[in-house]
Amino acid sequence: MAVKRVFAGYYKRYDGKRIYVVRVVKDIDTGEAVVICKDASFIREGNEEYYTIRLESFCEQVNVDGILRDKYIRQTRREVEPEMIGEVTEDGFPEPKRKPFVYIPCEQDERHIRCSRTYYEYAKDICENYRMDLRRYKLIRERKQYIGVSNREAYQAMCEDLAFAQQSLKTVLNDYADLFRKRFSEGLSIRKAADAMQQNRGVIERRQAALYRAFAQLLQQRDEADGVCRLMQKTEYDQRDIEDLLE
């Protein structure tokens, strides 16, 4: 029988009984893992009592009508009420740890094109948004409407930057092509890209910074050759001017 990891939160027993798992501790004499829990049904008095069950027993399966089922099933969609958290913390137990909310971007998100103040920021912006910009481009072509960009000018700017990045990776930045593909085409994290390329994280981080610098230089050279500036233009009073006025 596999002993699984048990988290603080609500669980439902095979017979429908609901419990709240407070935490998993070890028996001081035997070292055996023990689950501390309490009744979560709120249908009877005495709900303030705590119970224990061996982790091995908690994780075992039982036969229900000829079918093996987990003895306890985690109720991931049920949020822990503040009242329950208050009860267990008042009794000296820690609050359940919650994962921070992580927003996952999508093609519908508004893309602010060319809002960087330096060429290094510009290069980083193109690289980090490359995968999503490519998806926006394909959707716009398929649906014949602007998705994620506000107008034709923004769409054309996005396409121009995508094409310039692709062309640069085939020529001047060819040495960084593998890194770019792992990090920004496939969207791998630094750690996963390092594993895939059989390098340590420090090497990948330094190579990525070098890619940004080399790409920034190309972006600046492009602007100089075209006689335009694709960086965000400074306002009449930028932050430095304001600071000077306040002195």
Side-chain angles (χ1 to χ4, degrees):
M1 182 202 66
V3 176
K4 60 189 177 183
R5 187 177 178 187
V6 176
F7 300 87
Y10 292 110
Y11 285 78
K12 183 179 180 181
R13 200 165 65 181
Y14 67 94
D15 60 359
K17 179 179 177 61
R18 297 181 185 276
I19 66 167
Y20 175 77
V21 169
V22 179
R23 67 181 310 179
V24 178
V25 299
K26 288 186 177 181
D27 184 285
I28 194 170
D29 293 324
T30 65
E32 184 179 18
V34 178
V35 178
I36 300 177
C37 59
K38 67 184 306 182
D39 190 312
S41 61
F42 299 105
I43 61 174
R44 65 177 181 82
E45 295 184 5
N47 187 52
E48 66 276 3
E49 294 180 356
Y50 291 89
Y51 304 90
T52 62
I53 178 174
R54 293 182 300 109
L55 179 62
E56 185 176 349
S57 176
F58 188 93
C59 296
E60 70 183 6
Q61 292 186 318
V62 294
N63 190 311
V64 180
D65 297 328
I67 301 174
L68 283 178
R69 300 183 183 277
D70 290 340
K71 192 172 186 178
Y72 289 93
I73 300 175
R74 190 180 178 197
Q75 306 294 287
T76 56
R77 296 195 177 189
R78 182 179 174 185
E79 294 186 7
V80 180
E81 293 90 348
E83 293 80 9
M84 178 65 80
I85 295 176
E87 287 181 19
V88 297
T89 52
E90 284 179 5
D91 291 334
F93 293 106
E95 290 188 23
K97 294 182 179 179
R98 297 179 176 85
K99 286 186 177 181
F101 176 76
V102 178
Y103 177 75
I104 300 176
C106 69
E107 303 90 343
Q108 304 289 340
D109 295 341
E110 185 177 358
R111 174 77 163 99
H112 299 287
I113 307 294
R114 295 175 179 173
C115 294
S116 304
R117 292 188 175 275
T118 68
Y119 285 104
Y120 187 90
E121 290 179 2
Y122 188 13
K124 185 177 179 180
D125 179 71
I126 293 175
C127 291
E128 292 183 346
N129 287 283
Y130 177 83
R131 190 162 179 254
M132 194 61 66
D133 284 348
L134 202 58
R135 291 168 63 178
R136 288 189 181 97
Y137 167 76
K138 292 178 179 179
L139 277 177
I140 292 171
R141 298 275 294 184
E142 290 173 1
R143 301 182 184 180
K144 307 299 182 183
Q145 64 183 46
Y146 296 126
I147 299 173
V149 293
S150 55
N151 52 42
R152 180 179 178 81
E153 182 180 1
Y155 169 69
Q156 290 178 333
M158 183 183 73
C159 293
E160 184 181 33
D161 288 346
L162 283 172
F164 187 73
Q166 292 171 347
Q167 184 61 35
S168 299
L169 288 164
K170 293 177 182 178
T171 54
V172 183
L173 301 180
N174 187 58
D175 290 343
Y176 300 99
D178 288 342
L179 172 63
F180 187 94
R181 182 172 59 256
K182 295 296 182 185
R183 283 286 289 122
F184 306 117
S185 293
E186 298 177 14
L188 298 183
S189 65
I190 289 283
R191 179 181 62 80
K192 290 185 178 180
D195 291 342
M197 300 179 71
Q198 298 183 338
Q199 300 282 348
N200 62 55
R201 291 185 59 176
V203 171
I204 298 300
E205 288 172 347
R206 289 192 292 272
R207 287 282 293 169
Q208 181 173 287
L211 166 62
Y212 290 155
R213 289 193 295 270
F215 192 27
Q217 185 176 6
L218 290 179
L219 291 170
Q220 184 173 3
Q221 291 173 353
R222 179 183 67 166
D223 278 12
E224 292 173 352
D226 294 344
V228 298
C229 180
R230 294 177 174 86
L231 299 179
M232 175 183 283
Q233 301 302 306
K234 293 183 178 180
T235 58
E236 183 178 358
Y237 295 105
D238 63 9
Q239 185 63 34
R240 189 175 302 174
D241 294 331
I242 294 174
E243 291 174 356
D244 291 340
L245 289 171
L246 294 176
E247 291 181 351

